[in-house]
Amino acid sequence: PSPVLDEARHAAPLAGLGALGACLVVLALRMNRPTPSRRGRALRRMLAEAREGLLSRSNGPGVLVSSVVVLAGHIAMFVLAARVTGTDAAVSRLLPLAVLALLAMSLPLNVGGWGPREGVTAWAFGAAGLGAGQGLAVAVVYGVLCLVASLPGLVVLAARWYAGLRAGRRTVTEPVVTGPGAQAGTYPRASPRAA
């Protein structure tokens, strides 16, 4: 129960009609343009590429399946975080809370997902009657689990760094003249990649 929800129900039809009217005005204006501008052509190309990459018959099913698998993984990790913190709520009750937390993480107002996720999860758990403190604990455990899940990537970065370091330690010889009338000699020096 929320007073905001009651007000939103009254305003939703008007907002929907306003959005529909705005879309019709934009469509009418686009139809009357004789030739698209340079930016318009670039935007059309970009949208056509995005449509081909995401919605085409060859790519669309793969994008959809991989998105569903990733979403299921995030929700499963959220439920695991809830269980670790001692939340005994049913998965069907945690599912909308997990989706809210994921939406909050996607806001570009965070540092590695930290920030809005904790606030929204605490608020959502409090609104669901599970306790804001419990929601904050779930969000923090979820963040730690995400951090731990990304640690195998550190192994890959370390292996690349080590391979680059080994490749950079090879030495090359080149002639050096040290002064007027000095004889040319050679000395080993590290390759430029090592520097």
Side-chain angles (χ1 to χ4, degrees):
S2 167
V4 176
L5 188 60
D6 293 335
E7 292 297 322
R9 285 186 182 138
H10 294 297
L14 293 174
L17 287 174
L20 180 64
C23 289
L24 289 174
V25 168
V26 168
L27 182 64
L29 289 174
R30 286 190 66 193
M31 291 177 70
N32 287 332
R33 290 180 92 177
T35 57
S37 67
R38 187 170 159 189
R39 285 184 185 168
R41 287 191 304 268
L43 179 64
R44 277 192 192 148
R45 277 195 309 270
M46 183 184 71
L47 289 175
E49 288 177 9
R51 200 174 312 124
E52 173 66 28
L54 298 174
L55 303 175
S56 70
R57 289 183 184 206
S58 60
N59 297 336
V63 169
L64 180 66
V65 168
S66 62
S67 297
V68 168
V69 168
V70 168
L71 179 63
H74 281 291
I75 290 174
M77 194 173 342
F78 187 87
V79 171
L80 176 66
R83 296 295 182 246
V84 166
T85 60
T87 303
D88 293 331
V91 174
S92 61
R93 196 168 177 197
L94 290 173
L95 182 66
L97 304 175
V99 172
L100 278 174
L102 291 173
L103 286 173
M105 277 183 0
S106 68
L107 293 174
L109 304 170
N110 60 55
V111 177
W114 296 87
R117 175 185 58 222
E118 284 72 29
V120 167
T121 307
W123 169 80
F125 268 66
L130 299 172
Q134 188 70 28
L136 179 63
V138 170
V140 169
V141 169
Y142 178 85
V144 170
L145 288 174
C146 286
L147 181 66
V148 169
S150 65
L151 288 179
L154 189 61
V155 173
V156 173
L157 289 176
R160 281 188 172 177
W161 175 78
Y162 182 71
L165 190 64
R166 284 192 61 187
R169 286 191 180 164
R170 295 186 191 128
T171 57
V172 295
T173 58
E174 67 181 46
V176 172
V177 177
T178 57
Q183 295 186 5
T186 61
Y187 72 97
R189 75 172 179 87
S191 68
R193 284 188 282 177

